[in-house]
Amino acid sequence: ASEVYVGRDPLGIWHRWPEHTFAQAGSQYVMNVALPFARREDISLEETDSDVIVHLDGHRCVLPLPRDARFYENAAWAYDDGVLRVTFER
């Protein structure tokens, strides 16, 4: 526990941003997912017609896409500073 919490209160608030958000940026849709304890090598994504499925260390989470983003293609993702960013382009 001392390695995980490094002197921080385990019952405290560790982040103040929403678990995931969607935003339209020009011709792209961007989904941000908070994964503060993940490692990049443990993350994989699966895309369906209406969802993005995030696989992380044996678990999966299905995130439905907004209706407009369902018609976008060419999804790309990056993971930096505890945030998974998935970008959808036309």
Side-chain angles (χ1 to χ4, degrees), residues 2-76:
S2 62
E3 289 180 32
V4 172
Y5 297 113
V6 191
R8 295 171 64 181
D9 179 9
L11 299 178
I13 297 172
W14 285 60
H15 65 87
R16 297 191 184 277
W17 59 87
E19 291 83 15
H20 67 282
T21 60
F22 285 97
Q24 190 168 9
S27 65
Q28 300 178 330
Y29 259 98
V30 179
M31 176 178 69
N32 292 308
V33 181
L35 299 173
F37 302 110
R39 295 182 314 172
R40 187 182 199 296
E41 57 269 15
D42 295 333
I43 300 171
S44 66
L45 268 67
E46 181 181 345
E47 192 177 351
T48 68
D49 289 338
S50 59
D51 308 305
V52 170
I53 303 169
V54 179
H55 297 270
L56 174 62
D57 199 24
H59 300 279
R60 74 181 219 151
C61 179
V62 178
L63 301 171
L65 295 172
R67 182 174 295 264
D68 292 343
R70 293 177 184 178
F71 302 106
Y72 282 50
E73 297 177 2
N74 303 323

Side-chain angles (χ1 to χ4, degrees), residues 73-88:
E73 297 177 2
N74 303 323
W77 66 277
Y79 179 72
D80 292 307
D81 296 326
V83 177
L84 172 66
R85 180 180 311 271
V86 184
T87 305
F88 303 90

